[in-house]
Amino acid sequence: MSIVVTGATGHLGRLAVEALLARGVPAADVVATGRRTEALADLADRGVVVRTADYDNEVSLKEAFAGADRLLLVSGSEVGRRVRQHGRAIAAARAAGVGFIAYTSITHADTSTLLLAEEHRATEQLLAEAGVPHTLLCNSWYTENYTAQLPGYLEHGIPGAAGDGAVSAATRADYAAAAAAVVATDGHAGAVYELGGAPFTMTELAQVVSAATGRTVTYTDLPVEQYQRVLVAAGLPEPVAAVLADGDRGVAAGELLVEGDDLARLLGRAPTSLADAVAAAVTAPHA
């Protein structure tokens, strides 16, 4: 059974390839794709099939998906272009005779008002129209969205616009392992999995960071527009700052809160806790 993973040069796609191998899927049955195949050379050395796949190049997609049985379609990173890009990938998969697609969407994409949800919702519609059996992996936020900012938190505290809202964040590795479980096993076609870890508020995040570092870190809640200005002042481009501030608005409204235990069931264990994720980030070599 040939399993193609798109975006294997990115964080989530790469972790999904590793998760497939860890599950015992033969390396020769895993096809890792991306635009920069030189970044996948170590996987090729381990027997993984490496192919070029560019969401903007239909020919590359057709060649990458040739002979594939299943596809893990990792959503692209170019916000504003993803509907067309995902559409090309879905069309290429259908033309190649791929029998199953698992797509990494966003939680509650069908009802979410988040700016980031629009392209995911449109992609889900494209999948429905394509008629290929598929599963929606509706991921909440990455825990790394927060742990990557630890140096800033320690220096300035945690700013945001999430209020008392809770987010069901989980690590990329946990989302990748769940995706691998879905694409490597039967019985998931038609499922919509709402995926996330144990919820936490930004105040609770501050408490966890304080405990892990031994330094007092506090959360400062701001209006959405003010938080967006803070992000721009920190050097983020205006469109990126707008999306991040809108994400906090969504957290405040409960739009990134996941009920149920889909992630735990797919993993066969509890998702990595916030405390463990923060502790790992604190002790990481780059921290």
Side-chain angles (χ1 to χ4, degrees):
M1 179 177 65
S2 176
I3 301 173
V4 174
V5 178
T6 67
T9 52
H11 294 297
L12 184 62
R14 173 62 183 240
L15 287 168
V17 171
E18 296 288 357
L20 286 169
L21 297 176
R23 291 184 62 87
V25 177
D29 290 345
V30 179
V31 182
T33 73
R35 287 182 292 191
R36 300 176 293 104
T37 52
E38 64 274 11
L40 304 174
D42 63 309
L43 290 176
D45 290 341
R46 293 158 62 187
V48 173
V49 179
V50 171
R51 295 176 184 169
T52 300
D54 184 339
Y55 287 144
D56 291 319
N57 186 319
E58 294 179 9
V59 174
S60 75
L61 293 169
K62 291 178 181 178
E63 293 176 348
F65 300 164
D69 298 298
R70 300 184 178 187
L71 170 66
L72 174 58
L73 178 58
V74 177
S75 58
S77 59
E78 297 176 273
V79 176
R81 303 181 61 193
R82 296 191 289 183
V83 178
R84 290 190 300 276
Q85 292 176 333
H86 296 163
R88 293 189 191 100
I90 293 167
R94 181 180 180 184
V98 172
F100 174 76
I101 299 174
Y103 171 64
T104 61
S105 187
I106 192 171
T107 193
H108 309 306
D110 56 338
T111 59
S112 176
T113 67
L114 289 176
L115 293 174
L116 280 179
E118 295 175 4
E119 291 178 307
H120 289 296
R121 186 160 48 246
T123 301
E124 291 184 5
Q125 183 60 37
L126 291 175
L127 280 166
E129 294 169 355
V132 179
H134 62 275
T135 292
L136 302 177
L137 304 168
C138 302
N139 297 341
S140 185
W141 262 200
Y142 298 139
T143 308
E144 287 85 352
N145 291 355
Y146 304 105
T147 57
Q149 301 183 64
L150 282 175
Y153 291 167
L154 294 175
E155 185 174 355
H156 305 294
I158 304 175
D164 294 326
V167 56
S168 300
T171 64
R172 283 194 184 95
D174 281 353
Y175 287 130
V182 168
V183 81
T185 60
D186 297 326
H188 302 284
V192 178
Y193 293 123
E194 296 288 347
L195 304 176
F200 58 88
T201 65
M202 295 304 97
T203 297
E204 290 169 337
L205 170 64
Q207 293 169 348
V208 170
V209 171
S210 297
T213 62
R215 296 169 60 177
T216 300
V217 174
T218 59
Y219 171 64
T220 301
D221 195 58
L222 304 169
V224 174
E225 296 78 9
Q226 185 178 348
Y227 180 43
Q228 183 174 334
R229 290 195 294 272
V230 168
L231 294 172
V232 171
L236 291 179
E238 187 77 40
V240 176
V243 167
L244 293 178
D246 182 69
D248 263 30
R249 177 196 63 78
V251 172
E255 295 198 48
L256 286 155
L257 186 62
V258 174
E259 297 181 356
D261 61 351
D262 285 352
L263 182 56
R265 287 191 296 106
L266 291 173
L267 293 174
R269 59 171 173 79
T272 304
S273 69
L274 175 64
D276 286 347
V278 170
V282 168
T283 59
H286 64 276

